[in-house]
Amino acid sequence: MLNDFSEEGAVTMNPALLPTDDDIRFFQENGFWIAPKLFDDDLIAQAHEHMEMLLREEYEKGEKPLSNYRPSGDAAKGLVKIDNGWWADRVFETFATSPVLGRIASMLLQVPEIYLWHDQVLYKPGDSQAAGNVGWHQDKGYWASASTSDMLTAWIAFDHVNEMNGCMRFVAGSNHWGLVNESDFFNPDMEGQRERMRIPGGAEWREVPAILEPGQVSFHHCMTLHGSGPNRTDRPRRSIAVHLMSGETRMVKGNKHVNEEIFGGEDGELYRGPRFPRLWPPVE
Ligand SMILES: O=C(O)CCC(=O)C(=O)O
């Protein structure tokens, strides 16, 4: 029996939303797991409205997000990425600090405590063409300022997401490959990346699309290769990626992730403080 960490929290959760032991083993083997719908339509409608506010740089909480990145020039149809939207907006704070995400992350990683690493509010424009691609990458490659690989991403769909509008694709089992060459979020040439990528001998490249309905959530491990292709519809593909870490994650100084500065602590210290809230067990 794997640990479900149920004794830790006061919040009651519908057990049908949580991963079973088989789901946890699937995650450990394949590096991802697709959860059922976790967030209701009312909250998703608010997410649509509040994303428009962020895009207009209208910040409900009176604070800016960490960054509000707008692609320009040739890449103008690229992914709009708003980092730490939860600093600026209460609806995105609800997602980024959600206890149900924390509990599921704790079960999938089999660690007792989960904290927020950061979020990314994502808007892939309609008819994005290749500019909207997210290149094959492993998140851990960007997260060397964190001491552990007990980290994952909960990606919450705000629209129906499928192969037509550029859903994420996971490479099953790549969480066991170690860090690969050619991992680059910002490279739209996914085919070229794949051709040049060296993967372990005998390993199979098997892509699995993350097809989601609004309010549904995919979870992927920080070592899992993933990327996404163009949005071929005329409507945007909207979501928030909530990046989470085990409570044992410490700062590894000198690795250039902006969280080193945001935290401001010493090398080897646990990431703690108001910018790194705990999701599980929930704070009373
Ligand atoms: O939204 C996408 O297509 C990619 C997002 C991503 O790379 C992530 O959440 O780790």
Side-chain angles (χ1 to χ4, degrees):
M1 172 68 184
L2 294 160
N3 201 332
D4 71 358
F5 300 103
S6 55
E7 72 286 3
E8 303 283 356
V11 178
T12 317
M13 273 168 204
N14 176 354
L17 303 180
L18 302 175
T20 62
D21 282 4
D22 281 350
D23 294 331
I24 297 170
R25 288 195 190 97
F26 178 92
F27 176 83
Q28 290 170 340
E29 194 178 322
N30 293 284
F32 67 92
W33 179 63
I34 312 282
K37 185 174 169 81
L38 300 180
F39 299 101
D40 66 24
D41 292 340
D42 181 52
L43 188 58
I44 297 303
Q46 289 181 54
H48 292 161
E49 200 182 307
H50 284 244
M51 187 173 281
E52 290 303 316
M53 287 163 60
L54 284 191
L55 293 170
R56 290 196 300 269
E57 301 185 15
E58 213 177 290
Y59 301 134
E60 187 187 28
K61 289 171 68 181
E63 192 181 350
K64 289 183 180 177
L66 173 64
S67 66
N68 199 333
Y69 169 76
R70 305 303 172 82
S72 56
D74 287 350
K77 283 284 201 165
L79 191 74
V80 176
K81 201 160 78 62
I82 301 169
D83 289 324
N84 280 333
W86 79 277
W87 292 0
D89 189 284
R90 287 191 181 82
V91 171
F92 296 111
E93 182 174 7
T94 301
F95 291 113
T97 60
S98 154
V100 73
L101 297 184
R103 170 88 180 273
I104 293 175
S106 146
M107 292 173 76
L108 294 175
L109 294 171
Q110 290 288 290
V111 298
E113 287 190 328
I114 294 292
Y115 286 71
L116 179 64
W117 175 239
H118 70 93
D119 76 32
Q120 294 186 304
V121 179
L122 300 167
Y123 178 101
K124 190 182 289 217
D127 187 29
S128 71
Q129 304 171 22
N133 292 4
V134 173
W136 294 114
H137 67 282
Q138 292 161 305
D139 296 329
K140 184 62 189 169
Y142 295 100
W143 296 347
S145 302
S147 63
T148 162
S149 290
D150 284 332
M151 303 176 87
L152 59 65
T153 295
W155 195 100
I156 306 164
F158 297 156
D159 294 292
H160 287 278
V161 179
N162 52 42
E163 311 242 30
M164 278 306 289
N165 63 358
C167 63
M168 265 197 299
R169 304 179 73 77
F170 301 120
V171 181
S174 55
N175 50 315
H176 300 291
W177 293 358
L179 287 174
V180 299
N181 65 319
E182 282 297 331
S183 165
D184 185 359
F185 184 103
F186 295 99
N187 188 347
D189 176 18
M190 298 176 80
E191 264 181 49
Q193 273 185 300
R194 199 194 142 177
E195 276 162 22
R196 291 185 298 271
M197 199 176 285
R198 290 186 296 279
I199 68 173
E204 183 200 3
W205 182 280
R206 186 166 61 86
E207 293 175 25
V208 181
I211 296 173
L212 305 172
E213 62 173 303
Q216 213 182 342
V217 183
S218 65
F219 288 82
H220 64 267
H221 190 266
C222 66
M223 291 297 290
T224 305
L225 266 166
H226 59 288
S228 65
N231 180 355
R232 296 193 179 89
T233 70
D234 57 4
R235 298 162 66 90
R237 187 214 74 175
R238 295 164 292 183
S239 62
I240 184 172
V242 180
H243 304 301
L244 299 170
M245 61 178 164
S246 144
E248 288 300 311
T249 311
R250 295 173 186 278
M251 177 161 86
V252 187
K253 209 165 182 153
N255 285 290
K256 298 201 175 87
H257 193 282
V258 67
N259 274 354
E260 288 186 30
E261 266 169 64
I262 292 170
F263 175 49
E266 293 304 317
D267 189 38
E269 264 186 70
L270 290 170
Y271 281 103
R272 291 289 184 270
R275 295 305 202 193
F276 302 97
R278 193 175 79 196
L279 279 71
W280 195 260
V283 179
E284 300 290 311

